[in-house]
Amino acid sequence: MAKLHRAAEPDVLKPLLDRARLTPDSRERVMDHALALLADLRAAQTRGWVNQFLQEYRLNSSEGVALLSLAEAFLRVPDPETADLLIADKIGDADWKAHSGKSNSVLVNSATWGLMLGRALVGDEKTGALRRLISRAGEPFVRQAVGAAMKRMGEVFVMGRTIDEAMKRMKKPENKGFTASFDMLGEAARTKADAERYFQAYFEAIRAVGRDPKAGHSISVKLSALHPRYEVAQYDRCVPELTDTLAQLASESAAQGIPLTVDAEESERLDMSLDIIGSVARRPELKGWNGFGMAVQAYGKRARAVIGWADDLGRPMHVRLVKGAYWDSEIKRTQVEGLSDYPLFTRKAATDVSYLACARDMLAARNIVPAFASHNALTVATILDWAGDSRDFEFQRLHGMGEGLYERLVNEQGYHCRIYAPVGGHRDLLAYLVRRLLENGANSSFVHQLADEQLSEAELLADPVEKIAAVGGTRHPSIPLPVELFGAWKNSGGIDLAERFILAETAIAIASKPLPPAETSAPTDVRAAIDRATAAFPGWAATPLVTRAAILDRLADLLEENRIELMALAVKEAFKTLPDALGEVREAADFCRYYALQARTGLAPITLPGPTGERNELRMEGRGVWATIAPWNFPLAIFLGQTAAALVAGNAVVAKPAPQTPEIARAAVRLAHQAGVPEDALVLVTGGPEVGAALTSDPRIAGVAFTGSTPTAKKIATSLLEGDDRPLVPLIAETGGINAMIVDSTALPEQVVADVLTSAFRSAGQRCSALRLLLLQEEIAEGVIEMLRGAMELLILGDPADPRTDIGPVIDQAAYDKLMAYRDSAKAQWIKTVPVPATGLFVPPTMIRIDRPEDLTREWFGPILHVATWKAGQLAETVARVNAKGFGLTMGLHSRIARSAELVEAEARVGNLYINRSMIGAVVGSQPFGGEGLSGTGPKAGGPHYLHRFCAERAVSVDTTSAGGNATLLSLDEGGI
């Protein structure tokens, strides 16, 4: 099963197509039944508020997206000023008038009228009778109306705010004949307190449902809500703890005599989930209880194998088959991690095929009690045909969706249908459910296609087997394999560290690689190195551009072939964790391939326009010998990125790594020579500041590429101007920054906390781009801080070679002493710190409160995060205060208000702005990296303008009339003597 989810899509689909295919006779029966179900569904569209809402405001319309985006954020905004900005942002530009009176629903039409009023007040309409009419009511009127609408949406999507309210609602006439699977749903746990709260909610819900066992209701639980570190790297800790936690819930369910189902998670957690579910299923105290169950996602390539696994457990298992809930995020993760193939199907029809094949297996299984969660009339009709007279299964649908599909089956034909019923506060739960709709391509689902009156019955009920067979089961053409993500250049390959056995193998392999003994270069070696590079420059510059580019491509291949050795050096010399070490090698390879492509397309000679009888050409050529000076925090990626750029532009290079990390640089240079770079065209010198000074002060150096501290960059800039006879040479400098993240009250706290932990503490805070200053809007500050405190408690500091480690030591004693001295000086302002191992250079991750942004005056290069607040309505002023610091490397913004993002984009004076994501991990060619002001000179590394800075631009103009004239002109058959 482990390798199946990386197999090619056609190979996985081939057996599924055979299993899902209908015979001609059954196809006719199924179509007849599906048409009847479709008629019931269409009739129900006039009844359900949500159905009519989705008909009028489809998710692929700007108004539909605007409404759901408003619903995602509005209820969690505590302050009126930001709420008004959010409303204006989401409804101020949409064309609500076009929807006026169009729906059969009075409620939908009323909502549309309210939105028209809202737009008139908060939109761009500054005059008119309607504006004048409602302007007296002011913004509170609109805010209250929107709040009421959002609460109404909450009632539609959420069964009840409490389990008692949800059970009471299930007794209403519209739910007659149906049972419920209640889910105390919410975000995944970020802290121990979150997990404990979710556990208590589940436990109390089990007891509440148990008070009325005849109702037949059940409970669904989400494992990621029960443990804040439900991650493969934390397997040894989280799996035993989660097994015990789930067993407690299962035991209570067994005692109450009600079913319990474990919901599905992302594919990277599948093996862990199966280990936990399998362990609980085999518990002797649960023998004889037949209510245990699990959900299986049909969009996963392993879905059918999981069905077989569940059947082989040797005990009755309730299996709920769903299409899947994390499609977009699964696709993105696979691309970002550079993995070999997707764990899921890339076409909706392929998921439908998988669903049918799994359904057929479930109906034939010995130990599975099937539950089919679907809103698709064709799927339901197919399952009914295959099941024949059997009633030993149930259907499931989401609360608020799919009304009409099952009522006749349940109340007239004796089938069983369960409603998946979310339970919880609207503020948190509505946001979660709406995100599922927004993030997972829900507009392509059957329910949303049903709302499209232009789709015929034949299109709605098209056979997915025929659709997939017609394209040979191939991957969707708009979703390239990760290696092909960037099209023109090959994306670097990753290692699937979310696979437990791969993670273990990688850790063992890295542990087996010894660190070579250190070598040093004396300052006197520098002159000899420059002598060699100077002599090699003419020959290397004369090497054809395509040859130099091909050498970089070969170097990228060699980096990936020697990935484990290079990762081991990064772990043992630079104290990088396994994910960071992998990222180091991938980024180095990406630099090489990207610069090879840029050289081919951007450094070739350009013919320029001019008068007849004249040839004009612009050439980009090497300048001479470049010095590249790299930092210890990216000892391979930045070291090789700077060097590869200089080389492919036709320069010879003397490369100096940081004194802390010479061995990984030495390995990189060996591979570069192996790839074809002449040994004298790339010369390595190692040592400390004296070696760097000797290098940059030599007048033969034609340019310097430096990454490091701002003070050192200034010293280098000064040294390049010394000496009357020294040429003016370029300096490319990328330095540090006081990098700020601004968070407003529309932001999702759980997402903010995850991104803050990554941005501030990953790599022990030793990244140029790392978050140093967190600026929280006052109204949400304490809540976010409290969640951050809890999340920080879970960070694991230790040996970076240990897969469990989140944060390793800082680079050396000098860095440790400087950081600890500053940290101790600010002890009175600590918000949170965490314990560290007794030995080693571990600086405790620390959160420090400051009164205002101006109190942070310098960059502290380590796991130290400063927190200040800002007032609602002062976003522009807050950005200006950050700009005033003079640094300009990275900035982050967390906000659901598009106009706020536009404001920050316009006003921020930074090289890299990150919105609603972490602030680290710039991708070559996708997010060119580099700052301005005190943070660097540009151009941006990994960007389209970088290589030109390494070149001398030379224009050549030739008068061809003096050597025979313009032959093309002479050949024209116009006029003549």
Side-chain angles (χ1 to χ4, degrees), residues 583-833:
E584 185 85 12
V585 179
R586 291 192 64 206
E587 187 175 0
D590 285 338
F591 272 133
C592 291
R593 292 193 179 107
Y594 180 75
Y595 291 149
L597 172 70
Q598 290 295 311
R600 292 187 187 100
T601 57
L603 299 187
I606 302 172
T607 299
L608 302 174
T612 184
E614 185 173 286
R615 177 173 60 84
N616 297 293
E617 188 175 82
L618 180 66
R619 299 174 183 169
M620 308 296 289
E621 299 182 358
R623 302 180 65 95
V625 178
W626 273 71
T628 60
I629 303 174
W632 47 261
N633 62 332
F634 285 93
L636 179 67
I638 291 180
F639 173 82
L640 211 45
Q642 295 176 156
T643 300
L647 287 168
V648 80
N651 301 285
V653 176
V654 178
K656 179 198 170 300
Q660 297 92 336
T661 54
E663 296 309 319
I664 195 166
R666 208 181 307 278
V669 168
R670 280 197 300 269
L671 292 177
H673 293 157
Q674 185 179 335
V677 178
E679 291 194 4
D680 287 348
L682 171 57
V683 184
L684 180 72
V685 295
T686 59
E690 69 286 352
V691 173
L695 186 57
T696 58
S697 63
D698 194 300
R700 293 171 295 172
I701 293 297
V704 176
F706 168 79
T707 301
S709 71
T710 303
T712 303
K714 288 183 174 181
K715 290 179 182 178
I716 293 172
T718 301
S719 72
L720 295 179
L721 298 174
E722 293 175 353
D724 295 338
D725 298 331
R726 182 161 193 182
L728 296 172
V729 301
L731 167 64
I732 302 172
E734 193 260 281
T735 56
I738 299 179
N739 309 309
M741 179 188 287
I742 302 171
V743 181
D744 75 12
S745 62
T746 69
L748 180 68
E750 289 82 0
Q751 183 184 2
V752 171
V753 167
D755 289 343
V756 167
L757 289 182
T758 296
S759 303
F761 301 131
R762 184 169 172 178
S763 309
Q766 298 173 122
R767 293 183 182 230
C768 307
S769 57
L771 171 61
R772 311 293 179 201
L773 175 60
L774 177 61
L775 298 171
L776 300 170
Q777 188 179 322
E778 285 181 347
E779 286 80 1
I780 62 164
E782 290 311 311
V784 172
I785 287 171
E786 187 60 30
M787 191 178 292
L788 268 171
R789 288 164 59 94
M792 287 176 65
E793 290 175 355
L794 303 170
L795 293 171
I796 298 175
L797 284 80
D799 180 0
D802 187 333
R804 296 170 296 183
T805 295
D806 297 311
I807 300 173
V810 296
I811 190 66
D812 59 20
Q813 189 70 47
Y816 175 84
D817 291 343
K818 183 185 297 185
L819 290 166
M820 292 299 285
Y822 168 69
R823 179 177 168 274
D824 290 344
S825 72
K827 192 168 186 177
Q829 300 161 266
W830 289 1
I831 302 173
K832 179 67 177 177
T833 190

Side-chain angles (χ1 to χ4, degrees), residues 420-459:
Y420 187 84
V423 179
H426 294 163
R427 178 183 178 275
D428 299 318
L429 198 46
L430 180 60
Y432 177 88
L433 295 169
V434 166
R435 272 198 306 284
R436 294 281 75 79
L437 287 174
L438 288 171
E439 292 171 2
N440 288 289
N443 57 310
S444 66
S445 74
F446 187 86
V447 169
H448 296 88
Q449 289 178 352
L450 189 65
D452 188 348
E453 296 178 355
Q454 295 180 349
L455 285 176
S456 67
E457 291 177 342
E459 289 172 307

Side-chain angles (χ1 to χ4, degrees), residues 161-241:
R161 285 163 293 186
T162 66
I163 187 64
D164 290 334
E165 183 179 301
M167 292 177 66
K168 183 177 180 181
R169 189 171 177 184
M170 277 300 300
K171 295 178 180 179
K172 289 190 173 184
E174 63 264 27
N175 295 320
K176 179 185 175 183
F178 289 82
T179 55
S181 179
F182 297 115
D183 189 352
M184 316 303 292
L185 199 60
E187 304 297 334
R190 298 291 181 197
T191 68
K192 286 182 178 179
D194 290 340
E196 290 168 2
R197 185 173 68 254
Y198 286 129
F199 174 83
Q200 288 301 322
Y202 285 135
F203 196 86
E204 291 168 9
I206 290 167
R207 289 197 164 175
V209 172
R211 289 196 292 269
D212 186 13
K214 292 181 179 179
H217 302 318
S218 63
I219 296 293
S220 293
V221 301
K222 190 176 178 66
L223 293 176
S224 55
L226 294 170
H227 200 290
R229 296 302 305 270
Y230 186 34
E231 307 160 26
V232 172
Q234 307 301 324
Y235 182 99
D236 292 341
R237 171 186 178 187
C238 73
V239 168
E241 292 176 2

Side-chain angles (χ1 to χ4, degrees), residues 4 28 141 221 319 340 393 398 411 449 563 632 638 645 938:
L4 180 62
E28 186 175 348
F141 166 80
V221 301
V319 175
S340 59
F393 63 94
L398 291 172
N411 294 313
Q449 289 178 352
R563 180 167 50 193
W632 47 261
I638 291 180

Side-chain angles (χ1 to χ4, degrees), residues 275 277 411 420 487 498 838 891 922 969:
D275 288 347
I277 293 167
N411 294 313
Y420 187 84
M891 183 183 290
L969 190 62

Side-chain angles (χ1 to χ4, degrees), residues 322-467:
V322 300
K323 293 290 175 73
Y326 305 96
W327 190 85
D328 285 8
S329 58
E330 298 266 20
I331 293 286
K332 181 178 180 180
R333 177 186 173 267
T334 305
Q335 292 178 343
V336 169
E337 300 296 330
L339 304 179
S340 59
D341 209 327
Y342 298 102
L344 40 75
F345 300 108
T346 57
R347 295 179 188 264
K348 181 183 179 297
T351 294
D352 291 342
V353 167
S354 173
Y355 191 98
L356 292 173
C358 290
R360 199 164 202 168
D361 286 353
M362 289 166 62
L363 289 169
R366 296 163 299 164
N367 297 312
I368 286 177
V369 181
F372 303 109
S374 177
H375 301 143
N376 187 308
L378 180 64
T379 301
V380 172
T382 302
I383 291 169
L384 289 170
D385 189 76
W386 286 342
D389 295 330
S390 172
R391 298 293 191 274
D392 295 333
F393 63 94
E394 68 178 30
F395 290 108
Q396 293 193 6
R397 68 168 177 85
L398 291 172
H399 167 63
M401 299 179 76
E403 286 95 341
L405 181 59
Y406 293 111
E407 277 76 0
R408 194 186 302 272
L409 293 173
V410 169
N411 294 313
E412 297 180 15
Q413 300 176 32
Y415 290 96
H416 184 202
C417 183
R418 190 177 297 274
I419 298 173
Y420 187 84
V423 179
H426 294 163
R427 178 183 178 275
D428 299 318
L429 198 46
L430 180 60
Y432 177 88
L433 295 169
V434 166
R435 272 198 306 284
R436 294 281 75 79
L437 287 174
L438 288 171
E439 292 171 2
N440 288 289
N443 57 310
S444 66
S445 74
F446 187 86
V447 169
H448 296 88
Q449 289 178 352
L450 189 65
D452 188 348
E453 296 178 355
Q454 295 180 349
L455 285 176
S456 67
E457 291 177 342
E459 289 172 307
L460 280 170
L461 301 177
D463 187 349
V465 172
E466 293 178 0
K467 284 185 178 181

